[in-house]
Amino acid sequence: MIARISGAGHQLSKYTISDREMAVGSTLGGPKATLLIKATGALRKVYSPQAGTDAFGALVLHHWNPGSGIPLVAAPGDFTIHPYRQEHLFELSNGVTVHEDIFILSSAPRDGRHQVDPPGAYYAVRLRNESGETIEMATYASLRLKGGLNSTGRTSYDARRHAFVVRNDERPDFVRIAGCSVRPASYEVTLDTAKTSAAQFPGELSNTVLDEADDPIGIFHLAHRIRPGDQAEFYFLLSFSLEGEAAALKAFAALPDADEARESTHAYYEVMLNRAVVMTPDPEVNRGVLWAKANMLRTQTLTTQGWCFVNDPTRSNNSVARDTCWYAFGADYVNPEFARESLMWYARHLEPNGMVVEYFDIR
């Protein structure tokens, strides 16, 4: 593993590691959502702290040669881990270089720090033809739409937004939207898991959705013809609202494109990581402090209870008093506004005898 640091050690840092050596992917978070990445580089899930459950399951990409139907095999590549995103760079057997970039939108809070971005998880892809011939290739992006809900899912396709809109009987106001930045060659919502990793290219999809299904899989089929030296770019955007379909569509429309979202998230992290700079003769200590700050920013959550800290962001909905106090002991150097508000909840909810409550549900 190679660590790179710019400047004297207090600027943004990144790590590069072989994708054959990765034990587990990154956990990335914003005020309204948290995502987990698999060791393979695929997106594992997107979690809603306010809902207390997963909004989406895994998002996985597979590539094929549409003429022969043969799957395109990936050569060993590299992950680059940044404080706010994770990149994956590898080459396919047809000579196309694939660059994947996964992150959550997390720009600076506004208007008293309670005005934040809507939840937005981005999976950006760039395909570059490094060969000397024009290449045609097909990509399936398969997404488990069920998330963490157990009831029947009801899915529709929004052609204008190139997006699946998902509702569940269990939580009818918890509406999720999964969109693609470009018009897909075809799409489908299916129960056929074999299509997502078939040994031969399954071909065009049906352009239909299952109105009701227990565990639906939404698939975008993208087709590209890339000349030598050219590239194709697209991204998938996952968002949701707990206030119904109209609010979900409004939030989805308000989200910036992938480039703007990446830049605004980078700008916020750069400002925050340049606070409370520690400079020692040991670069590993300097790097450890920087990554401690990055990890703190990933777990700062805003719900209807205000800003709060949970020490296991995708598996617990409880904010524990003693854990919040220890967290604030360090976070106060970087984000004192967050540290203050997370502690003030406990001050406002003291027991009549003056005792501090042990924990509360952030929902």
Side-chain angles (χ1 to χ4, degrees):
M1 184 164 63
I2 304 171
R4 296 186 180 89
I5 295 182
S6 56
H10 61 279
Q11 299 297 322
L12 287 177
S13 220
K14 61 183 180 181
Y15 288 85
T16 298
I17 184 173
S18 167
D19 60 10
R20 299 302 193 265
E21 299 176 4
M22 190 74 133
V24 65
S26 298
T27 298
L28 303 174
K32 298 281 190 176
T34 305
L35 69 78
L36 272 65
I37 303 175
K38 295 184 178 185
T40 61
L43 194 153
R44 178 181 167 190
K45 68 178 184 177
V46 177
Y47 181 84
S48 166
Q50 182 65 63
T53 192
D54 299 341
F56 297 98
L59 172 58
V60 182
L61 272 60
H62 289 96
H63 308 280
W64 284 276
N65 179 324
S68 66
I70 297 174
L72 299 173
V73 179
D78 291 309
F79 290 117
T80 301
I81 305 169
H82 303 259
Y84 66 98
R85 63 190 175 103
Q86 180 173 304
E87 294 180 282
H88 191 194
L89 183 65
F90 57 95
E91 184 176 326
L92 297 172
S93 51
N94 63 350
V96 169
T97 298
V98 181
H99 175 265
E100 299 179 336
D101 198 3
I102 299 178
F103 60 95
I104 276 190
L105 174 62
S106 184
S107 60
R110 304 167 293 280
D111 298 337
R113 291 189 52 78
H114 281 188
Q115 183 74 27
V116 299
D117 300 306
Y122 292 77
Y123 192 136
V125 182
R126 183 173 66 245
L127 307 173
R128 182 172 179 81
N129 183 0
E130 304 286 0
S131 75
E133 300 179 355
T134 297
I135 288 177
E136 293 190 9
M137 59 182 292
T139 300
Y140 267 20
S142 306
L143 173 64
R144 286 197 174 270
L145 300 173
K146 177 181 178 180
L149 301 178
N150 295 317
S151 61
T152 299
R154 304 179 185 276
T155 307
S156 60
Y157 184 72
D158 187 321
R160 184 165 68 89
R161 296 177 175 85
H162 318 140
F164 299 117
V165 182
V166 192
R167 314 156 198 80
N168 281 74
D169 294 345
E170 177 185 348
R171 304 278 293 273
D173 291 333
F174 185 25
V175 179
R176 290 100 66 213
I177 301 180
C180 183
S181 63
V182 299
R183 184 184 301 277
S186 61
Y187 66 88
E188 188 173 325
V189 174
T190 180
L191 295 175
D192 186 359
T193 58
K195 283 189 177 182
T196 65
S197 57
Q200 292 288 317
F201 176 52
E204 296 285 327
L205 297 170
S206 65
N207 293 331
T208 61
V209 300
L210 293 174
D211 181 49
E212 297 184 16
D214 290 335
D215 191 7
I217 299 172
I219 307 176
F220 294 103
H221 161 217
L222 305 181
H224 291 102
R225 188 174 189 272
I226 312 173
R227 295 185 177 87
D230 286 351
Q231 61 187 30
E233 294 185 80
F234 54 91
Y235 63 87
F236 303 98
L237 175 55
L238 311 181
S239 184
F240 55 85
S241 172
L242 280 76
E243 299 177 355
E245 183 171 341
L249 291 171
K250 182 178 179 181
F252 188 83
L255 289 164
D257 65 28
D259 288 339
E260 183 181 346
R262 185 187 300 106
E263 287 304 313
S264 62
T265 302
H266 174 272
Y268 177 57
Y269 268 72
E270 188 166 29
V271 168
M272 300 301 283
L273 297 184
N274 274 293
R275 294 181 177 179
V277 174
V278 173
M279 296 294 292
T280 77
D282 188 341
E284 296 301 322
V285 172
N286 303 339
R287 186 176 300 123
V289 171
L290 182 143
W291 277 93
K293 292 186 286 186
N295 289 330
M296 281 191 281
L297 290 177
R298 296 178 179 186
T299 60
Q300 295 182 355
T301 298
L302 180 64
T303 72
T304 53
Q305 296 293 307
W307 288 99
C308 48
F309 167 72
V310 173
N311 61 13
D312 199 351
T314 63
R315 292 190 292 183
S316 173
N317 302 309
N318 293 332
S319 175
V320 181
R322 62 181 178 275
D323 298 337
T324 301
C325 290
W326 278 117
Y327 176 87
F329 187 79
D332 191 48
Y333 289 90
V334 182
N335 193 344
E337 297 87 354
F338 174 89
R340 179 184 186 277
E341 183 164 334
S342 66
L343 293 173
M344 284 302 297
W345 189 97
Y346 291 96
R348 291 193 302 269
H349 294 83
L350 290 175
E351 299 283 4
N353 62 3
M355 295 291 287
V356 178
V357 297
E358 183 180 358
Y359 68 90
F360 71 95
D361 188 326
I362 66 171
R363 298 170 293 176

